[in-house]
Amino acid sequence: LAPWVPVVGLEIHAQISSNSKLFSGSQVQFAAPPNSLVSFFDASLPGTLPVLNRRCVEAAVMTGLALNCSINKKSLFDRKHYFYADLPAGYQITQQRVPIAVNGSLSYSLCIDNKMSQMVTKTVRIKQIQLEQDSGKSLHDDTRSQTLVDLNRAGVGLMEVVMEPDMCCGEEAAAAVRELQLILQTLGSSQAVMAEGQLRVDANVSVHHPGEPYGVRTEVKNINSIRFLAKAVDYEIQRQIEELENGGTILNETRAFDSKLGCTIPMRDKEGKQDYRFMPEPNLPPLILYDAKSLPANVNHQQVVNIDWIHERLPDLPSVKRAKLVEQYGILPEHSFALLNEDGLSEYFENVVKQTQMKPKKVIGWILNVLLSYLKQHSLTVKESPVSCFLLADLLNLLEKKEISSTAARQVFAELWKGEGKTPLEIVKQKKLELIQDQKELEQICQAVIDGQESEVIMIVLG
Amino acid sequence: PERRNWPFQVSAALKERHVTPTELCQRCLALIKSTKFLNAYITVAEETALKQAEESEKRYKRGQPLGVLDGIPVAVKDNFNTAGIETTCASNMLKGYISPYNATVVQKLLDQGAVLLGKTNLDEFAMGSGSTDGVFGPVRNPWSYSRQYKEKSVPKSDSEDEESDWVITGGSSGGSAAAVSSFTCFAALGSDTGGSTRNPAAHCGVVGLKPTYGLISRHGLIPLVNSMDVPGILTRCVDDAAVVLGSLAGHDPKDSTTIQDNFKPFELPSLPDVSKLSIGIPKEYHAPGLSSEILALWSKAADLFKNAGAKVTEVSLPHTRYSIVCYHVLCTAEVASNMARFDGLEYGHRSDMNKSTESMYAATRREGFNDVVRGRILSGNYFLLKQNYENYFVKAQKVRRLIANDFLKVFGSGVDILLTPTTLTDAVPYMEFIKEDNRTRSAQDDILTQAANMAGLPAINVPTALSQRGLPVGLQFIGRSFQEKQLLTVAKWFEKQVKFPMIQLEEVKGHNDNVFQHQKSASFS
């Protein structure tokens, strides 16, 4: 059988972290009472007009810069029309003709063969980033044959990040999204929490034989976590391969991922191709961005966005942070990935290192193998850890000074985890876990043991 | 009789306490009642108006009026949002709709102390040139009942209904034009997308100003074509229009298409001088169907300027003839888009059909919109289809650019103001008007006014003379972008020259007390 080349592209919608919505002043807040964050504009009351939120523009520029994009100094807004209960105006304002950023790239890393010790770096091209409105939410109440509409989310700013089909499997897609998530969180342009709908991923999947043109692709939606993303993509690739090998065809359709069944199913609603009748948004002039060179002299700084100014203030991106950790502490690259993968873990690590004589290379083992596994077991975040960095540092100091063994240290850690307020030293004393340093005392203990086991000793002496 | 050109100032009268805002308001409300047959108003906000008048009165008593507009009764076209007062757009879709907010222009008028009498009638969603296609019925031109018109009309035989030869106001801001023309208010807001303020102004013998696009906020004006709509100003004289303009113009952060520059309200010179001006006469505006009467008036007007020392030259706007078709494409496309929000979900009419969301939408929109609106939505969606977009929408945008460039060229060559007719004929009788459909009528009637909307330029109708039938005929001036001061100065000069006669309405006669004299006065400013 000829090999198949799977091709995976992603469309990612990241909710912009801002106080108010993209085109109106109503608040952005998760899980507020239904329809409590809806301005006249959001409800599409006739006669209302969009007013662009500066913070959203800045978030998009930051993100574009972080993803190595060219920022378009002039971008345009368009209307994309379709009828749906959660789209009050009957159209979404988006950027179809000229988006705010184009032609970027994102580097991400994967473990080869599931071994943390071998990481490979891959790149995916970023086609574009565009600003657009989020829709409201509709809940179908089939028992009462009604649809409930909540417009709180309608009009919230989104950055749509389009990743070119440079990925080949679920793992790559997941890794790329994970890295994007970290970048967005570092920038603060989006909180990117998938569970809260702040990061939504649609996957475009197709397969073809090497040397042949790309196959028909399907769009996979309803993916609610990074783990499910990998599953959904891999399932779809398999499904397409099986379909084609059985002589079937792939339809250019939209499929939903069913997390319970672990498969993709065709989506009922998306029958037939929609013509969105794109039209320029007449109420918004072209969005003009400036840099230091093009910034006009007498300008109201409230009214302009300076790309260079934003560039100068970009924080260290995850890739830079990781490199710094490796360089500064001599830890392995895969360690740096693990540190950044957990919110607050790298800060915790650095704090411990500051307060202990133990070498960072040893500290990292405690962080990743002990602390992290406890956290995972109890589903806690670093912030929620009952063992603070100070306590751990104290513990590691005892270990480093050889006052306790590493086995004892583990016991102390388990005790600390209970969060009863005792210090490591107190626990050690209580449980009598001190390493005996006194030679004489050790001899006495050994002699006592030997004395109590006469027959065994004779056997050993005789060989 | 000639119009008495009193320098009479209702505002001064209010200030000097010759008349109180409450009296003024009551008189207007009474007149609205007695001219109800005109059907100029959809909603009369009697209670709130009287309250506003009361408040104004208190301010005058304290000697602290807010400005020239304080206490002045005004009316607003029913496609502007007015908080607490029904806003219908003369459509079933918005019958009973009470907006929670005021359009910026409405708020500005209220902040100046103006007294809002009510909302005026229009073509449904401002689509039309007759003010005949709204769900509340057509608006009647007050001049139908003027002595001037009755004298000139052929006496009807007994069997024919005298009522049936009333003439249209033009549209779509017919209600506002009729309200101003019949003295029920001193100023009214209309909207102008293809001539909807200037056209009824011409037919009703009032001043109709279309400001430069971007000068006055559209926030709260229910849009027809976002890229062409402007709030329009209807008054009985040019000075009043300047005052209202001054109170409305300027940047609005809620409308991103308004210019950022500071706007300075201006006063017009009391003795305007046109001798240094260059007036352009665009030959393409001698359009097919232009009545010989209006042609003659146009010519006479050009001579007036010549004799005053102005330079009057024939100019060419070669792409004028494409503007109607171009407008049709762009207008219907935007209409299709703008009307998409009317689905019955959040506000407005909702059909009882509830088998599914789609069926509810379809039934709601069928029930809520008239044929004109639905026809434009269908056309617009057709032009916006992917396979048609380039050939229609983009092409029309390019032609629009050519039309705008025509004006730029002419203004760039030294011409200050263009002088054209506003309408092809005087107002036609309603029975004749409805023989053709809305689309045909709009295409015919918009031809002289439409291009100014394409180019975003300011333009004004100035009532000029009465036709042979005793009905008003106006002429139009088109100016450069944001040069309203120059435009209005020329208009004022012309107004003084032509001395357009005052309408002689039965209903208005016989009120000879002082208060009513203010009503009949030319201006409030």
Side-chain angles (χ1 to χ4, degrees):
Chain A
L1 283 169
W4 288 101
V5 179
V7 171
V8 180
L10 299 174
E11 271 165 36
I12 299 158
H13 288 90
Q15 237 183 39
I16 297 174
S17 173
S18 59
N19 290 327
S20 52
K21 296 184 180 180
L22 181 55
F23 295 117
S24 72
S26 41
Q27 225 193 323
V28 178
Q29 199 191 314
F30 182 67
N35 293 312
S36 60
L37 304 171
V38 184
S39 68
F40 299 152
F41 174 78
D42 302 332
S44 80
L45 293 196
T48 52
L49 299 169
V51 181
L52 184 56
N53 179 339
R54 184 217 168 90
R55 158 68 189 165
C56 293
V57 176
E58 290 173 345
V61 171
M62 262 198 280
T63 306
L65 291 171
L67 294 177
N68 305 305
C69 295
S70 306
I71 307 294
N72 282 326
K73 292 227 189 81
K74 176 173 164 183
S75 61
L76 305 170
F77 290 101
D78 303 288
R79 293 184 180 179
K80 177 181 182 181
H81 301 85
Y82 60 95
F83 286 102
Y84 206 69
D86 62 17
L87 196 67
Y91 58 84
Q92 175 202 37
I93 302 179
T94 177
Q95 293 190 298
Q96 188 243 4
R97 288 168 292 156
V98 186
I100 192 167
V102 291
N103 297 338
S105 65
L106 169 67
S107 292
Y108 61 96
S109 292
L110 289 178
C111 312
I112 303 182
D113 301 330
N114 276 323
K115 287 184 210 154
M116 272 301 270
S117 53
Q118 282 202 296
M119 303 205 84
V120 64
T121 302
K122 298 229 166 187
T123 307
V124 57
R125 291 167 297 156
I126 305 291
K127 177 165 186 230
Q128 64 187 52
I129 300 175
Q130 63 199 58
L131 282 167
E132 58 185 37
Q133 291 175 303
D134 207 345
S135 64
K137 281 205 187 120
S138 54
L139 302 143
H140 300 290
D141 179 1
D142 289 319
T143 44
R144 289 193 199 83
S145 303
Q146 61 182 8
T147 301
L148 307 167
V149 181
D150 176 12
L151 296 179
N152 281 350
R153 205 185 63 179
V156 171
L158 294 176
M159 294 177 286
E160 179 176 325
V161 180
V162 181
M163 291 189 182
E164 299 276 26
D166 296 341
M167 295 160 283
C168 71
C169 60
E171 199 191 354
E172 287 191 1
V177 171
R178 179 64 185 131
E179 187 66 6
L180 176 66
Q181 196 178 38
L182 288 173
I183 291 174
L184 293 171
Q185 288 167 348
T186 303
L187 292 172
S189 57
S190 170
Q191 288 166 51
V193 175
M194 275 182 94
E196 290 184 8
Q198 293 160 343
L199 193 71
R200 285 166 246 156
V201 182
D202 299 332
N204 292 313
V205 180
S206 73
V207 297
H208 65 277
H209 289 303
E212 282 178 17
Y214 281 11
V216 174
R217 66 179 168 142
T218 62
E219 188 186 14
V220 182
K221 283 172 129 41
N222 196 40
I223 298 167
N224 298 327
S225 74
I226 294 187
R227 204 167 56 90
F228 286 149
L229 170 62
K231 275 205 164 128
V233 167
D234 288 335
Y235 173 86
E236 181 60 19
I237 291 170
Q238 265 318 110
R239 184 194 76 82
Q240 290 192 12
I241 291 175
E242 276 168 28
E243 185 69 35
L244 290 170
E245 285 186 343
N246 289 332
T249 51
I250 305 300
L251 295 171
N252 176 214
E253 60 178 349
T254 304
R255 299 174 73 89
F257 179 65
D258 185 320
S259 50
K260 290 204 188 89
L261 300 173
C263 64
T264 63
I265 46 176
M267 278 176 83
R268 201 166 39 90
D269 278 346
K270 305 267 174 161
E271 284 158 42
K273 284 223 104 180
Q274 281 255 31
D275 191 326
Y276 292 113
R277 289 158 285 130
F278 285 98
M279 185 186 92
E281 169 55 68
N283 292 317
L284 292 169
L287 174 59
I288 309 290
L289 303 174
Y290 299 93
D291 54 25
K293 254 194 281 180
S294 63
L295 195 63
N298 348 309
V299 78
N300 179 357
H301 285 275
Q302 300 257 7
Q303 291 295 319
V304 297
V305 168
N306 183 340
I307 300 167
D308 288 339
W309 191 88
I310 294 176
H311 207 179
E312 283 158 23
R313 284 158 186 75
L314 286 178
D316 278 347
L317 294 181
S319 51
V320 173
K321 279 195 201 164
R322 287 185 202 114
K324 281 189 177 168
L325 285 169
V326 168
E327 207 202 297
Q328 201 177 341
Y329 300 109
I331 57 176
L332 295 174
E334 47 264 37
H335 294 159
S336 70
F337 269 91
L339 281 180
L340 256 55
N341 208 38
E342 194 66 32
D343 192 27
L345 194 60
S346 65
E347 289 82 10
Y348 189 105
F349 165 72
E350 292 191 271
N351 283 335
V352 172
V353 166
K354 270 190 213 132
Q355 296 167 79
T356 179
Q357 298 95 13
M358 185 183 279
K359 288 220 165 67
K361 277 191 198 168
K362 278 181 81 179
V363 174
I364 195 75
W366 276 88
I367 301 292
L368 296 180
N369 301 330
V370 184
L371 175 71
L372 195 55
S373 62
Y374 266 80
L375 288 173
K376 288 297 171 205
Q377 239 183 319
H378 294 87
S379 298
L380 292 174
T381 63
V382 172
K383 284 192 184 72
E384 295 164 335
S385 168
V387 181
S388 70
C389 52
F390 308 105
L391 289 176
L392 182 57
D394 279 349
L395 174 57
L396 296 182
N397 282 338
L398 292 177
L399 182 56
E400 195 65 8
K401 283 188 270 184
K402 298 209 165 62
E403 290 183 32
I404 52 174
S405 69
S406 56
T407 323
R410 292 257 180 165
Q411 280 180 272
V412 175
F413 188 92
E415 199 63 28
L416 282 173
W417 190 265
K418 291 184 189 157
E420 286 163 3
K422 297 183 223 164
T423 67
L425 198 57
E426 283 166 0
I427 297 172
V428 165
K429 290 227 156 70
Q430 259 179 21
K431 296 202 159 212
K432 297 202 195 314
L433 293 169
E434 307 92 321
L435 272 179
I436 303 168
Q437 308 281 15
D438 186 342
Q439 185 77 10
K440 246 190 158 169
E441 211 187 322
L442 284 168
E443 277 181 22
Q444 275 181 343
I445 296 172
C446 291
Q447 192 62 49
V449 172
I450 294 172
D451 291 342
Q453 307 287 326
E454 254 190 54
S455 42
E456 279 79 2
V457 171
I458 292 169
M459 302 263 301
I460 291 167
V461 168
L462 286 176
Chain B
E2 283 181 277
R3 174 212 250 168
R4 281 156 284 180
N5 226 357
W6 302 331
F8 205 111
Q9 298 176 12
V10 134
S11 290
L14 285 170
K15 225 172 170 184
E16 284 152 35
R17 318 278 286 276
H18 294 318
V19 63
T20 68
T22 316
E23 285 169 329
L24 203 51
C25 179
Q26 281 165 342
R27 286 297 170 179
C28 287
L29 290 170
L31 195 53
I32 292 175
K33 284 200 182 89
S34 60
T35 54
K36 209 167 170 175
F37 54 89
L38 295 177
N39 203 19
Y41 288 80
I42 294 176
T43 303
V44 181
E46 188 161 333
E47 258 186 63
T48 53
L50 286 168
K51 253 190 229 140
Q52 286 160 9
E54 242 182 76
E55 293 299 314
S56 172
E57 199 158 314
K58 288 188 198 153
R59 290 189 290 268
Y60 273 104
K61 281 202 180 117
R62 288 199 301 267
Q64 293 171 332
L66 292 167
V68 174
L69 287 176
D70 203 339
I72 301 293
V74 298
V76 163
K77 187 174 179 183
D78 208 14
N79 59 354
F80 285 91
N81 277 272
T82 45
I85 299 171
E86 203 172 327
T87 300
T88 68
C89 292
S91 174
N92 276 324
M93 192 57 92
L94 289 176
K95 245 188 191 164
Y97 175 68
I98 309 249
S99 169
Y101 75 100
N102 279 325
T104 297
V105 288
V106 170
Q107 191 61 52
K108 286 189 169 192
L109 287 175
L110 293 175
D111 288 345
Q112 291 284 304
V115 172
L116 180 55
L117 294 173
K119 310 296 289 297
T120 57
N121 204 350
L122 60 155
D123 285 300
E124 183 163 337
F125 279 110
M127 298 185 206
S129 58
S131 305
T132 54
D133 281 329
V135 290
F136 298 104
V139 184
R140 299 186 182 199
N141 192 329
W143 285 83
S144 315
Y145 303 94
S146 67
R147 193 189 316 156
Q148 291 105 323
Y149 177 64
K150 286 191 184 159
E151 275 172 0
K152 296 290 177 77
S153 39
V154 177
K156 291 266 180 283
S157 62
D158 289 322
S159 53
E160 278 184 17
D161 184 5
E162 248 206 16
E163 285 284 290
S164 66
D165 63 353
W166 57 268
V167 299
I168 56 163
T169 52
S172 60
S173 312
S176 285
V180 172
S181 170
S182 59
F183 302 103
T184 59
C185 63
F186 285 81
L189 292 185
S191 64
D192 196 313
T193 308
S196 291
T197 289
R198 293 161 285 157
N199 175 295
H203 287 316
C204 294
V206 298
V207 171
L209 170 62
K210 176 212 168 295
T212 312
Y213 183 88
L215 183 61
I216 299 188
S217 172
R218 290 180 300 111
H219 167 78
L221 166 60
I222 297 174
L224 175 58
V225 183
N226 286 289
S227 62
M228 298 184 206
D229 289 352
V230 293
I233 297 170
L234 294 129
T235 55
R236 286 197 282 279
C237 72
V238 177
D239 274 326
D240 292 355
V243 169
V244 177
L245 179 69
S247 72
L248 296 181
H251 177 64
D252 182 10
K254 295 186 187 137
D255 178 352
S256 307
T257 61
T258 53
I259 47 156
Q260 305 263 348
D261 309 348
N262 282 322
F263 172 80
K264 290 194 200 82
F266 50 80
E267 245 183 67
L268 299 175
S270 43
L271 294 166
D273 171 27
V274 299
S275 57
K276 297 189 186 63
L277 286 177
S278 168
I279 310 287
I281 311 288
K283 63 180 188 195
E284 290 82 4
Y285 280 62
H286 184 166
L290 184 65
S291 78
S292 47
E293 265 191 313
I294 298 189
L295 181 59
L297 277 172
W298 187 18
S299 192
K300 242 174 111 180
D303 289 339
L304 265 177
F305 280 99
K306 240 182 264 181
N307 297 337
K311 178 171 165 212
V312 179
T313 45
E314 190 188 71
V315 296
S316 174
L317 300 168
H319 295 93
T320 304
R321 63 199 166 114
Y322 302 118
S323 77
I324 287 295
V325 165
C326 178
Y327 174 70
H328 177 73
V329 172
L330 297 177
C331 172
T332 53
E334 285 215 34
V335 163
S337 180
N338 292 334
M339 297 295 139
R341 65 186 59 210
F342 295 103
D343 53 23
L345 217 55
E346 295 86 11
Y347 48 82
H349 172 68
R350 187 198 281 211
S351 169
D352 290 330
M353 162 67 70
N354 60 2
K355 282 211 192 82
S356 69
T357 311
E358 285 78 22
S359 64
M360 191 273 273
Y361 277 22
T364 296
R365 289 162 71 80
R366 172 165 254 290
E367 292 162 18
F369 291 139
N370 72 3
D371 284 354
V372 178
V373 177
R374 297 207 321 270
R376 292 198 194 190
I377 292 173
L378 288 169
S379 304
N381 277 324
Y382 176 79
F383 296 135
L384 289 176
L385 288 175
K386 212 165 173 183
Q387 71 254 35
N388 294 329
Y389 184 73
E390 279 291 318
N391 289 333
Y392 289 97
F393 189 88
V394 176
K395 205 58 176 287
Q397 291 282 33
K398 290 179 178 174
V399 174
R400 181 177 181 177
R401 172 66 58 202
L402 292 176
I403 292 168
N405 285 345
D406 278 355
F407 285 102
L408 282 177
K409 263 194 214 120
V410 164
F411 286 132
S413 70
V415 169
D416 299 305
I417 301 276
L418 297 170
L419 166 63
T420 80
T422 313
T423 56
L424 294 174
T425 65
D426 57 3
V428 301
Y430 174 70
M431 297 307 285
E432 194 183 306
F433 184 80
I434 55 173
K435 284 191 189 141
E436 301 274 13
D437 66 63
N438 183 294
R439 160 116 174 78
T440 309
R441 284 294 181 195
S442 298
Q444 292 164 349
D445 301 333
D446 287 346
I447 201 151
L448 302 169
T449 48
Q450 210 293 303
N453 296 88
M454 291 287 225
L457 297 171
I460 186 169
N461 171 76
V462 180
T464 305
L466 293 183
S467 69
Q468 274 175 18
R469 289 162 67 216
L471 294 172
V473 168
L475 289 176
Q476 173 179 240
F477 296 94
I478 306 174
R480 297 169 198 229
S481 276
F482 302 107
Q483 301 304 311
E484 271 78 355
K485 184 168 182 189
Q486 183 178 68
L487 178 69
L488 289 169
T489 302
V490 172
K492 179 171 175 174
W493 179 87
F494 185 71
E495 178 187 62
K496 277 185 183 301
Q497 300 303 307
V498 299
K499 300 188 180 48
F500 182 78
M502 194 179 303
I503 187 176
Q504 284 160 31
L505 272 179
E506 284 289 326
E507 287 69 17
V508 174
K509 227 179 18 178
H511 292 264
N512 271 325
D513 53 35
N514 271 342
V515 172
F516 212 75
Q517 293 197 338
H518 304 297
Q519 210 130 0
K520 291 195 281 182
S521 83
S523 93
F524 62 74
S525 57

